[in-house]
Amino acid sequence: MADVSQSASLASIAAYLKLTYQYDQKTALVEAKSVMHNLVKMRQKGFITGWYFDENGQLELLPSDYVMQQIAPTK
């Protein structure tokens, strides 16, 4: 799944926030835009390569190779 650059759209993130936090549509969209902005920022900085919703409906981040090497350096 490392080829995913973005599979959770703004609309799906807003729907998730609405369901999870009982936000109204306007609040969910404002919060989703903030989440999306932060995800894009993390991708631009090289921390992640993308994001998606897993089979349990949780937003998952795909760490970059650089981050993975920092977490578990190869010998």
Side-chain angles (χ1 to χ4, degrees):
M1 180 146 330
D3 292 340
V4 174
S5 64
Q6 171 187 344
S7 99
S9 67
L10 182 64
S12 63
I13 293 172
Y16 171 80
L17 293 172
K18 189 175 178 181
L19 178 67
T20 304
Y21 298 104
Q22 290 76 46
Y23 289 157
D24 60 45
Q25 185 61 35
K26 183 178 177 183
T27 302
L29 189 55
V30 168
E31 293 298 320
K33 285 179 182 178
S34 177
V35 169
M36 184 69 75
H37 172 78
N38 289 325
L39 291 171
V40 169
K41 207 167 166 182
M42 286 191 292
R43 184 175 60 195
Q44 289 172 339
K45 290 182 177 185
F47 298 141
I48 63 173
T49 60
W51 55 90
Y52 64 98
F53 281 105
D54 68 11
E55 63 276 355
N56 297 315
Q58 298 297 309
L59 188 61
E60 292 288 330
L61 306 180
L62 296 167
S64 67
D65 290 341
Y66 171 76
V67 168
M68 291 306 294
Q69 289 173 355
Q70 299 302 310
I71 293 171
T74 56
K75 295 180 181 186

